[in-house]
Amino acid sequence: MPINILMPALSPTMEKGNLAKWLKKEGDKVKSGDVIAEIETDKATMEVEAVDEGTIAKILVPEGTQDVAVNDVIAVLAGDGEDVKAAGASAGAKAAPAPAKAEAAPPKPASSAPAAAPTPSATPVLQSAAPAPQAASAAPQVNGHGRTFSSPLARRLAKEAGIDIARIAGTGPHGRVIARDVAEAKTGGGLQAPAAAPGATPALAPSMSDKQILALFEPGSYEIVPHDGMRRTIAQRLTAAVQTIPTFYLTIDCEIGRLLAAREEINAAAPKDKEKRPLYKLSVNDFVIKAMAVALQKIPDCNVSWTEGGMVKHKHSDIGVAVAMPGGLITPIIRKAETKTLSAISNEMKDFAARARARKLKPEEYQGGTTAVSNLGMYGINHFTAVINPPHATILAVGTSEERPVVRSGKIEIAQMMSVTLSCDHRAIDGALGAELIGAFKTLIENPVMMMV
């Protein structure tokens, strides 16, 4: 009996992915463990393995296809002894119901070009299952006023353009939104103001359309670079964070003279490998990560995540660290950071940063965490506020260390200072509690030996 190969879920939150590349073709024999495809998420591209043995009878989703839903059938495998051609023909017939009318996609902008797939990293296993009855067509999307009828192609194009399908005026049969409506909407035409759901709070005024923005600039004075999946995900998540998380900010100055002296002494005493290279080299950020981890253990009511059902209180300090990468940023997580030495944190971060920039991190290495650290000190920034990344309840923004005048016993002296700002989710952490956390961090960062106690 033919076996359906399904679009795998590469992370707990993944709903869709892009089928970047097939590594096997129709007619190829595969066995369990063979890498047969590359699936691209917004953060990484991963190799996926076959579970069953057999012959690929039919590829239903061609490589390069975007937004393939998890558990959609992407190929069919004929088992040993089965008629491969018959299995492929049967799969093709089921997968391709005749549409009432073909619909052509609008041409892509001249400036867009296919991007090379990043280097694959982890190897999850493709799900496979016995064939099931063909599912019905996707249900129309729902907005605040009811159902919005649209074609599958129109929905895909609207998603790629970052446009809510419910805002597009349809010109197809019975007001159905079709591809040409999306193309018109991308220029600012045919867009309706977003409607609020019944009983919902009034929506913010809609932002300027693409057409209105481009009208402000001289034609030919710019080029349009289409957003990739990572940039869209960052925009969606952080916009939602700003709109839904009531945030307050706490800033404090830390004197880090002792830290810098300890760092220099520790690095000078670092053991060497066979090539006479030090086995580790601590940065100021390594101390920051450790201090934040220990501070959360000292103020455990801040080591939390908000959910509507209850407060999630974490036992360990899993510290996310923002790392810049081409096209955006990612936050790999130092798990149980309170239990790790500074040298272990340092080496783990160097490995994470290198693999993050190559898009080789596994989902479990950047998803979750209990808080995050964002350090712009290396760019000379002395103060900024960072946006909380759900499900975190806090994020620490770290500025540069610099010499500043301070007053001690009525005298002006020069000290090495560093400003940090803690962003807090007021649903989970009140002002006084947040002040306790940043106070504990200050004590630890100014007296690094206390991190070891």
Side-chain angles (χ1 to χ4, degrees):
M1 187 175 187
I3 300 170
N4 287 341
I5 300 177
L6 308 180
M7 182 68 170
L10 303 181
S11 71
T13 58
M14 176 176 165
E15 296 179 355
K16 296 181 179 180
N18 303 334
L19 208 161
K21 186 178 182 180
W22 280 104
L23 302 178
K24 299 288 186 180
K25 62 183 183 296
E26 291 180 4
D28 284 356
K29 292 185 178 296
V30 297
K31 59 181 183 297
S32 178
D34 281 355
V35 177
I36 65 172
E38 292 177 2
I39 304 296
E40 183 182 83
T41 68
D42 60 316
K43 299 288 187 182
T45 296
M46 301 183 187
E47 295 177 340
V48 289
E49 298 176 354
V51 176
D52 302 284
E53 296 187 1
T55 302
I56 296 181
K58 187 72 174 179
I59 290 177
L60 300 176
V61 177
E63 63 181 43
T65 303
Q66 298 185 346
D67 295 334
V68 182
V70 168
N71 290 333
D72 274 4
V73 180
I74 59 175
V76 172
L77 195 70
D80 289 341
E82 288 189 275
D83 187 323
V84 176
K85 290 185 179 180
S90 173
K94 290 181 180 180
K101 182 178 180 181
E103 184 181 349
K108 294 184 177 180
S111 59
S112 66
T119 307
S121 60
T123 309
V125 177
L126 271 177
Q127 297 170 289
S128 51
Q134 185 69 17
S137 302
Q141 297 191 18
V142 178
N143 63 12
H145 295 295
R147 302 170 71 184
T148 299
F149 292 92
S150 56
S151 71
L153 176 60
R155 288 197 295 275
R156 178 172 65 81
L157 294 173
K159 181 178 177 64
E160 291 174 356
I163 301 173
D164 181 0
I165 196 76
R167 294 185 58 200
I168 301 175
T171 62
H174 308 291
R176 190 170 185 246
V177 179
I178 57 178
R180 69 166 176 260
D181 301 324
V182 180
E184 176 69 14
K186 289 169 69 174
T187 68
L191 275 179
Q192 305 166 354
T201 55
L204 298 174
S207 59
M208 297 174 68
S209 69
D210 289 7
K211 186 175 181 179
Q212 290 171 321
I213 293 172
L214 296 179
L216 300 175
F217 305 100
E218 180 183 354
S221 66
Y222 57 83
E223 64 173 331
I224 297 177
V225 180
H227 301 306
D228 62 11
M230 175 179 288
R231 180 50 56 191
R232 290 191 186 281
T233 299
I234 291 172
Q236 292 166 0
R237 286 180 60 84
L238 297 189
T239 297
V242 170
Q243 291 177 344
T244 61
I245 297 178
T247 307
F248 67 91
Y249 307 95
L250 301 170
T251 300
I252 201 165
D253 295 329
C254 305
E255 185 176 344
I256 61 169
R258 291 179 181 174
L259 183 154
L260 295 178
R263 172 178 174 263
E264 184 176 351
E265 186 175 347
I266 292 171
N267 286 340
K272 307 292 194 299
D273 61 15
K274 294 180 179 180
E275 285 74 33
K276 305 299 182 182
R277 294 174 300 189
L279 295 180
Y280 54 82
K281 186 177 182 181
L282 304 186
S283 68
V284 171
N285 209 45
D286 299 328
F287 285 87
V288 169
I289 296 166
K290 178 73 173 184
M292 190 63 177
V294 177
L296 285 172
Q297 294 298 307
K298 291 182 177 295
I299 316 295
D301 286 344
C302 287
N303 196 25
V304 296
S305 295
W306 171 268
T307 71
E308 295 299 329
M311 198 75 73
V312 181
K313 301 192 74 171
H314 304 287
K315 296 179 181 179
H316 292 287
S317 302
D318 297 335
I319 311 296
V321 185
V323 174
M325 59 186 294
L329 58 86
I330 196 169
T331 309
I333 299 164
I334 305 291
R335 305 282 179 183
K336 301 181 181 180
E338 80 280 7
T339 69
K340 295 180 177 177
T341 64
L342 286 164
S343 60
I345 290 173
S346 179
N347 288 335
E348 195 169 339
M349 269 313 305
K350 286 181 176 64
D351 172 60
F352 277 158
R355 290 194 292 119
R357 295 185 181 106
R359 296 196 178 210
K360 291 184 177 180
L361 288 179
K362 303 173 185 177
E364 61 268 24
E365 292 176 322
Y366 60 79
Q367 292 181 343
T370 62
T371 189
V373 169
S374 179
N375 191 336
L376 294 179
M378 64 286 294
Y379 298 101
I381 305 299
N382 56 24
H383 170 265
F384 71 104
T385 58
V387 180
I388 296 171
N389 187 24
H392 302 166
T394 56
I395 184 171
L396 188 72
V398 182
T400 190
S401 63
E402 57 186 357
E403 290 185 338
R404 299 180 198 165
V406 297
V407 177
R408 293 197 184 101
S409 303
K411 296 181 180 179
I412 297 178
E413 299 180 4
I414 300 299
Q416 200 75 24
M417 305 296 294
M418 179 179 75
S419 296
V420 297
T421 299
L422 183 70
S423 304
C424 299
D425 182 346
H426 214 320
R427 299 173 302 175
I429 298 173
D430 296 323
L433 188 59
E436 287 185 44
L437 177 60
I438 200 169
F441 173 86
K442 175 181 170 71
T443 299
L444 291 162
I445 208 74
E446 291 187 339
N447 302 278
V449 69
M450 296 180 64
M451 300 182 202
M452 317 304 169
V453 179

